Structures are given as structure tokens and as C-alpha cells.
Amino acid sequence: MCGIAGYIGKKNAAELLLKSIKNLEYRGYDSVGMVTLSEGKISMKKGRGKVSEVDSKVDFSSLPGTMGIAHTRWATHGKPSERNAHPHISASGKIAIVHNGIIENYLELKESLQEYEFKSETDSEILAHLIDKHYSGNLKDAVLKAIAQLNGTYAICVMHQDSRELVVARNGSPLALGIGEGENFIGSDVSAFVEHTKKVIYLEDFQVASIKENSVEIYDGKGNPVSMETKTIDWDVEKAQKQGYKHFMLKEIHEQPQVVRDSISIEIPELEKPRKIFIVACGTAGYAGLTGKYLLEKYTRIPVEVVYASEFRYSDPIICPGDLFIAISQSGETADTLAALRLAKEKGAKTLGIINVQESTIAREAGTVIYTRAGPEIGVASTKAFISQLVVLYKLAEKLSGTEISLTSIPDKIQGILNQEGKIQEIAKKYFRVYNFLYIGRNFNFPIALEGALKLKEISYIHAEGYASGEMKHGPIALVSDEVPTVAIAPRDSVYPKMVSNMQEIKARNGKVISVATEGDSEIPEHSTDTLYIPETREELYPLLTVIPLQLLAYYIADMRECDVDKPRNLAKSVTVE
Ligand code: M6R
């Protein structure tokens, strides 16, 4: 969470940094700020709001100079406001810092910095004063001394008005250095600078780097020089643009046929058959994992446990050598998933990451990594990453069971659903003012009910709950009324008659039912207020199809409610703090 960026070179730093933080904005967007250095003087602009809102008031590009740092924030300590926005400047006015992470011992450190006047409510501001306190002519040394006192997570970028260098450090929050010709870049991820260079050094925990326009020097936490590999990244800038779509989310939903085509050819590495599989993830990646449980158990008969990463890490899990731990993550940076992976490694389990972002921390730390082929996913609501995670899980089931699972017909079938967008828009128009929704499904489509509800709530702010249909009578059916519609996922599969019964029970209580049914099913509309059709497929492949109309329904409802679909309130794409 939070995006940090830095530039040192010969170009106008402010214009470049403005573009960088726009690209990083998906990481947090409640306030924004920038500092540049020109003629030995630090100049700063910042404010509350999204990058373009603040920029229209303060005009970031007017900041002078050819080096600077910038930040787009997702608030942890202190509410979103101008004074809590980064950068923070030391009391001497000479040092500016941007920070992503949480300093857990900031109150204790603040006590020891009583001679400094604090201007914000953030944990981050202590860094500016602490570095200032340790500074005696060498910025890198001051940063090394300061970070030795920190508990918590950080990626920081620091500048001093008397020194033409940027100093960065990380522990637990990502940081990438973009290596240019006569210029260098810093970003929370490569999207901050990929238009300028594809040569990247990924800093590791406890490392510190001093970055000048013609050099990058990296040190370990004790100040010993270390050499790091420069990687060349494969990133299509065009793929991270909206390409004429109103929102990234809509574009990403429409990319799914191609994502499935690309993902079908992913090679699954050789894996020993484990005793037990743990799938650990958060949010949508967790629902992909839950779908994977149904699938892997059906095909391999290996028991699979799916656990939220935030629960796994504090639960003293019974995981042993011989077990396979699978972390699923789009970003590869989710703090809880990363901590869970580290715990599983400590306990001796084999680890596998199913990750979208190349060279992300989880990708680098997992014993084996399988990269999904979703391409850059910018919308905060995950769509194409989910479908690519599912494809990998089908392929994993195929590999571990030795049974072929053909997905070749799926891309065209998804395209067929996307072609019914007009019908989905009509349904969205009928329901977009509703306050509560239920989503139900069984067996393979139970995780899809959870995912459909998550998509709706996170982008439209409508309260939505997903349930296993069989649970309705155990409580949730009390919620049913003509004001609470239910989305019922009811393709023609082995649990179809049970789904029909559930739908009848809802209808009998005046509930409206929006069903997702298999093409040609004439019975389902009798029990539904509205029906969306998906093409027929094999039972275990339905999740790849049933999720598509639910993504579009959520999208159109949110758009009709004039919500900021790509940047929903309170959320961020990459959850790098717990
Ligand atoms: O980057 P990750 O896949 O680890 O992210 C996990 C969740 O934060 C993410 O799926 C989140 O739930 C999305 N906003 C859902 O659309």
C-alpha cells in the first residue's frame, strides 16, 4: 500500500514523478505529495485527494529541479489530510522522506525525539527526524543508523538538501530501482518507470542504496557493499493502458478470453505428490484457491485445506515436510500471504507461488513459482487475474492426477458471455438502487457466489453476502424479501435440482432471483425474475464461465451508481501492510 517514486537525472523531475505516481495510484489514493530539489532548496507540494484532483489545485509540474521524490498514500496512521500526506520534512527543513509500510515502535521513537516538532499524526514522520538526528554529512550512514532502530515494515526514499543523491531502504515493503543512462528511478513497482527503462534491480530486505544519476551503490544493513543482479523486465506498456474502455476493470473483464488462451500453455513444473495441500491467499485469490480445493480433491484425492493468509499466519498451523503450501497472489506482495509463505517454509513444507507480478517478493521467495499470464491488472477489483489463477489450478490438477482437463473451448465460451453485455446492463439498470444482495451457489459454484458478492460490495458499496445454497435455511433465508434480490448460480450440473429447490424457496418468500443458467434451460426462468445464460460445459469447468456475468453485473451496477470503479473507496490494489 502507498506508492513511492523517486527520480534523479537531467530531466524535469516533477513532470516525470507526476506520471510515476499516477501509475502507482492503484496502491493508494487518499492523498499525494512531491518534493524536488533545485539550487540547494527543497520545495514541496501536497494535498488530500487523488493525484489528478490534487494536481489540479497545486500544479506539481511547477516544482523546479531534476531530482525529487513523490508519494501516493493509503492511510494507516492518521486520517487522509494535507498534513498527513507525504513527503514529510525534518524539523531542520533539510531532509525529506516518503514511506510505505508501518513503523510499529513509532511511539517509543517519538519519545526519544522530543526536541523535534511533529507536524503530522503519522508514524512515518519520525523517520524524517530520526534520520536528521543521525545525519553528520553522510545521508546513507544516517539512514543505516535510523533503520537499525525500526520495528515494522518500510520502503523509504530519502533526500537531503545538501546532497545530490537519493537514499532508499526496504524491509517488508517492495522497492524497485530503474537503471537508466545518466538517470535513475525508484518505484514501489516497475510501473513507476517502465516507460523510461526496463533494467531493474529489486532491493532486498534490510538493504540500503545510494542512488546518483550515474551510479547505484547497494549496502547490506551493516553498511557492507553488496552487488545485486540487474534484471531486464518484459512489460508491455500498452497493456497497462485503458485502450478506449471507460475503466480498467471493464477492459480487464474483456481480456479474459485471451488470458485463458495464453494461460492454457503454462508449463506446470514437476511436483512430488504431497500428503496434503494448503492453499493460502486473501480476497479474490482466496476464492480462486477455494475453487481449486474442489477441483484438486476431485481429480487427485489429495486433501486440500484453504485458509485465509491472515488466519494461517497466527494459527500455529499443522503443516509438515511432505505437505505442499500454495500461495496465490496477483501482486505477489500481499503482506499476510507473504508472512504465511515464510511460516510454511520455516515448518519445512514445499512451497509453490501462483503469482501474476514477475519478480514480486512472493514470487522470489516461493520454492517454486508458476506465473499466471494475466498481464498487468490495474483495476482494484481483480477479474482477469482470478481467471488466470483458476486456469493454473486446473492445470495443476491435471498434472498431479495425470488426467487431461481440456480448456480449449473455454475462451470462445467466455467471449459468448461477453457478447451478452447489453442484457447484463439491462438487469443492472433494474437493480442498481438496491441496498442488499445475496449470492448463492453449490459445490464448484459456491466459491463463485463468494467472489460475485465480493465484486459487487467492493466496487458498488452495496452490501452483498455469498452463501453455500444449502446454508440458506440455517439463517440467511430470514433476510429474503422483495427488497433483497438473490443471485443464484444454477448451471445444469449434479447439484442443479438442489439449486432449483433453493430458488423456489426464495421465490415463495417474495424474493427476486437473478439466475445464472445454462443456455437452453427453460425451467430456470420459471423460478427467476431475471436469467443470464452461459454456454454448456463440463461440471468442473463452470466456474470459468459463471464468474463472468457476475463480474459484469457488479461492474455495471457500480458504474450506474457513479462509483469510482477502478479506485473504490478505502481500498488499494496491493495490500502490503497487515
Ligand atoms: O494481490 P493479491 O492477489 O494477493 O490480493 C489479494 C486481495 O487483496 C485481492 O484479491 C482483493 O480481494 C481484490 N480487491 C478483490 O477484487
Side-chain angles (χ1 to χ4, degrees), residues 282-285 329-331 334 380-382 454-455 458 575:
C282 301
T284 288
S329 175
Q330 187 287 129
S331 62
T334 301
V380 163
S382 188
L454 175 61
K455 277 306 74 104
E458 71 176 324
V575 184

PDB file of all heavy atoms in Angstrom, residues 282-285 329-331 334 380-382 454-455 458 575, ligand 1:
ATOM      1  N   CYS A 282      -5.608 -14.315  -0.019  1.00  0.00           N
ATOM      2  CA  CYS A 282      -6.549 -13.322   0.518  1.00  0.00           C
ATOM      3  C   CYS A 282      -7.535 -12.937  -0.592  1.00  0.00           C
ATOM      4  O   CYS A 282      -7.191 -12.952  -1.776  1.00  0.00           O
ATOM      5  CB  CYS A 282      -5.833 -12.044   0.922  1.00  0.00           C
ATOM      6  SG  CYS A 282      -4.571 -12.285   2.168  1.00  0.00           S
ATOM      7  N   GLY A 283      -8.720 -12.540  -0.188  1.00  0.00           N
ATOM      8  CA  GLY A 283      -9.698 -11.954  -1.106  1.00  0.00           C
ATOM      9  C   GLY A 283     -10.000 -12.859  -2.288  1.00  0.00           C
ATOM     10  O   GLY A 283     -10.196 -14.079  -2.159  1.00  0.00           O
ATOM     11  N   THR A 284      -9.997 -12.254  -3.466  1.00  0.00           N
ATOM     12  CA  THR A 284     -10.331 -12.987  -4.686  1.00  0.00           C
ATOM     13  C   THR A 284      -9.374 -14.154  -4.924  1.00  0.00           C
ATOM     14  O   THR A 284      -9.794 -15.238  -5.350  1.00  0.00           O
ATOM     15  CB  THR A 284     -10.315 -12.002  -5.871  1.00  0.00           C
ATOM     16  OG1 THR A 284     -11.471 -11.174  -5.734  1.00  0.00           O
ATOM     17  CG2 THR A 284     -10.338 -12.686  -7.206  1.00  0.00           C
ATOM     18  N   ALA A 285      -8.102 -13.946  -4.624  1.00  0.00           N
ATOM     19  CA  ALA A 285      -7.133 -15.044  -4.803  1.00  0.00           C
ATOM     20  C   ALA A 285      -7.520 -16.224  -3.906  1.00  0.00           C
ATOM     21  O   ALA A 285      -7.350 -17.391  -4.271  1.00  0.00           O
ATOM     22  CB  ALA A 285      -5.727 -14.557  -4.473  1.00  0.00           C
ATOM     23  N   SER A 329      -1.440 -15.215  -5.365  1.00  0.00           N
ATOM     24  CA  SER A 329      -1.463 -13.751  -5.214  1.00  0.00           C
ATOM     25  C   SER A 329      -1.246 -13.097  -6.567  1.00  0.00           C
ATOM     26  O   SER A 329      -0.312 -13.452  -7.300  1.00  0.00           O
ATOM     27  CB  SER A 329      -0.365 -13.316  -4.238  1.00  0.00           C
ATOM     28  OG  SER A 329      -0.297 -11.920  -4.170  1.00  0.00           O
ATOM     29  N   GLN A 330      -2.094 -12.144  -6.896  1.00  0.00           N
ATOM     30  CA  GLN A 330      -1.888 -11.360  -8.113  1.00  0.00           C
ATOM     31  C   GLN A 330      -0.634 -10.531  -7.966  1.00  0.00           C
ATOM     32  O   GLN A 330       0.276 -10.602  -8.777  1.00  0.00           O
ATOM     33  CB  GLN A 330      -3.121 -10.476  -8.347  1.00  0.00           C
ATOM     34  CG  GLN A 330      -3.159  -9.711  -9.661  1.00  0.00           C
ATOM     35  CD  GLN A 330      -2.206  -8.544  -9.761  1.00  0.00           C
ATOM     36  OE1 GLN A 330      -1.443  -8.455 -10.746  1.00  0.00           O
ATOM     37  NE2 GLN A 330      -2.157  -7.676  -8.788  1.00  0.00           N
ATOM     38  N   SER A 331      -0.590  -9.732  -6.902  1.00  0.00           N
ATOM     39  CA  SER A 331       0.505  -8.768  -6.734  1.00  0.00           C
ATOM     40  C   SER A 331       1.817  -9.436  -6.337  1.00  0.00           C
ATOM     41  O   SER A 331       2.893  -8.912  -6.617  1.00  0.00           O
ATOM     42  CB  SER A 331       0.140  -7.758  -5.653  1.00  0.00           C
ATOM     43  OG  SER A 331      -0.030  -8.423  -4.409  1.00  0.00           O
ATOM     44  N   THR A 334       1.229  -9.275  -1.149  1.00  0.00           N
ATOM     45  CA  THR A 334       0.269  -9.197  -0.045  1.00  0.00           C
ATOM     46  C   THR A 334       0.941  -9.625   1.267  1.00  0.00           C
ATOM     47  O   THR A 334       1.474 -10.741   1.373  1.00  0.00           O
ATOM     48  CB  THR A 334      -0.954 -10.077  -0.375  1.00  0.00           C
ATOM     49  OG1 THR A 334      -1.506  -9.567  -1.586  1.00  0.00           O
ATOM     50  CG2 THR A 334      -1.994 -10.034   0.724  1.00  0.00           C
ATOM     51  N   VAL A 380      -8.675  -2.150  -9.172  1.00  0.00           N
ATOM     52  CA  VAL A 380      -8.521  -2.719  -7.823  1.00  0.00           C
ATOM     53  C   VAL A 380      -9.298  -4.033  -7.710  1.00  0.00           C
ATOM     54  O   VAL A 380      -8.850  -4.973  -7.057  1.00  0.00           O
ATOM     55  CB  VAL A 380      -8.949  -1.680  -6.755  1.00  0.00           C
ATOM     56  CG1 VAL A 380      -9.190  -2.337  -5.411  1.00  0.00           C
ATOM     57  CG2 VAL A 380      -7.863  -0.612  -6.621  1.00  0.00           C
ATOM     58  N   ALA A 381     -10.449  -4.112  -8.357  1.00  0.00           N
ATOM     59  CA  ALA A 381     -11.219  -5.362  -8.329  1.00  0.00           C
ATOM     60  C   ALA A 381     -10.562  -6.359  -9.275  1.00  0.00           C
ATOM     61  O   ALA A 381     -10.391  -6.100 -10.466  1.00  0.00           O
ATOM     62  CB  ALA A 381     -12.651  -5.094  -8.760  1.00  0.00           C
ATOM     63  N   SER A 382     -10.213  -7.492  -8.726  1.00  0.00           N
ATOM     64  CA  SER A 382      -9.486  -8.485  -9.511  1.00  0.00           C
ATOM     65  C   SER A 382     -10.445  -9.279 -10.396  1.00  0.00           C
ATOM     66  O   SER A 382     -11.459  -9.788  -9.915  1.00  0.00           O
ATOM     67  CB  SER A 382      -8.765  -9.417  -8.531  1.00  0.00           C
ATOM     68  OG  SER A 382      -7.919 -10.275  -9.225  1.00  0.00           O
ATOM     69  N   LEU A 454     -18.246 -10.464  -3.410  1.00  0.00           N
ATOM     70  CA  LEU A 454     -17.098  -9.574  -3.135  1.00  0.00           C
ATOM     71  C   LEU A 454     -16.968  -8.516  -4.233  1.00  0.00           C
ATOM     72  O   LEU A 454     -16.763  -7.331  -3.954  1.00  0.00           O
ATOM     73  CB  LEU A 454     -15.806 -10.395  -3.030  1.00  0.00           C
ATOM     74  CG  LEU A 454     -14.505  -9.594  -2.861  1.00  0.00           C
ATOM     75  CD1 LEU A 454     -14.529  -8.759  -1.585  1.00  0.00           C
ATOM     76  CD2 LEU A 454     -13.291 -10.506  -2.848  1.00  0.00           C
ATOM     77  N   LYS A 455     -17.130  -8.944  -5.493  1.00  0.00           N
ATOM     78  CA  LYS A 455     -17.005  -7.974  -6.591  1.00  0.00           C
ATOM     79  C   LYS A 455     -18.021  -6.858  -6.417  1.00  0.00           C
ATOM     80  O   LYS A 455     -17.702  -5.685  -6.553  1.00  0.00           O
ATOM     81  CB  LYS A 455     -17.266  -8.636  -7.957  1.00  0.00           C
ATOM     82  CG  LYS A 455     -16.219  -9.366  -8.680  1.00  0.00           C
ATOM     83  CD  LYS A 455     -14.918  -8.733  -8.971  1.00  0.00           C
ATOM     84  CE  LYS A 455     -14.046  -8.614  -7.757  1.00  0.00           C
ATOM     85  NZ  LYS A 455     -12.956  -9.532  -7.617  1.00  0.00           N
ATOM     86  N   GLU A 458     -17.263  -4.534  -3.199  1.00  0.00           N
ATOM     87  CA  GLU A 458     -16.068  -3.690  -3.183  1.00  0.00           C
ATOM     88  C   GLU A 458     -16.138  -2.530  -4.161  1.00  0.00           C
ATOM     89  O   GLU A 458     -15.533  -1.489  -3.923  1.00  0.00           O
ATOM     90  CB  GLU A 458     -14.787  -4.500  -3.383  1.00  0.00           C
ATOM     91  CG  GLU A 458     -14.569  -5.058  -4.757  1.00  0.00           C
ATOM     92  CD  GLU A 458     -13.222  -5.776  -4.894  1.00  0.00           C
ATOM     93  OE1 GLU A 458     -12.237  -5.342  -4.286  1.00  0.00           O
ATOM     94  OE2 GLU A 458     -13.171  -6.775  -5.627  1.00  0.00           O
ATOM     95  N   VAL A 575      -1.972  -4.972  -1.001  1.00  0.00           N
ATOM     96  CA  VAL A 575      -2.143  -4.792   0.448  1.00  0.00           C
ATOM     97  C   VAL A 575      -0.844  -5.210   1.146  1.00  0.00           C
ATOM     98  O   VAL A 575      -0.699  -6.339   1.606  1.00  0.00           O
ATOM     99  CB  VAL A 575      -3.375  -5.578   0.946  1.00  0.00           C
ATOM    100  CG1 VAL A 575      -3.614  -5.316   2.430  1.00  0.00           C
ATOM    101  CG2 VAL A 575      -4.604  -5.173   0.151  1.00  0.00           C
TER     102      VAL A 575
HETATM  103  O1  M6R B   1      -2.506  -9.329  -4.838  1.00  0.00           O
HETATM  104  P1  M6R B   1      -3.320 -10.402  -4.184  1.00  0.00           P
HETATM  105  O2  M6R B   1      -3.926 -11.339  -5.163  1.00  0.00           O
HETATM  106  O3  M6R B   1      -2.573 -11.132  -3.108  1.00  0.00           O
HETATM  107  O4  M6R B   1      -4.511  -9.639  -3.488  1.00  0.00           O
HETATM  108  C1  M6R B   1      -5.434 -10.310  -2.690  1.00  0.00           C
HETATM  109  C2  M6R B   1      -6.617  -9.451  -2.399  1.00  0.00           C
HETATM  110  O5  M6R B   1      -6.219  -8.262  -1.765  1.00  0.00           O
HETATM  111  C3  M6R B   1      -7.410  -9.097  -3.657  1.00  0.00           C
HETATM  112  O6  M6R B   1      -7.828 -10.226  -4.348  1.00  0.00           O
HETATM  113  C4  M6R B   1      -8.646  -8.249  -3.286  1.00  0.00           C
HETATM  114  O7  M6R B   1      -9.551  -9.015  -2.562  1.00  0.00           O
HETATM  115  C5  M6R B   1      -9.290  -7.654  -4.534  1.00  0.00           C
HETATM  116  N1  M6R B   1      -9.633  -6.290  -4.305  1.00  0.00           N
HETATM  117  C6  M6R B   1     -10.531  -8.368  -4.933  1.00  0.00           C
HETATM  118  O8  M6R B   1     -11.088  -7.861  -6.083  1.00  0.00           O
END
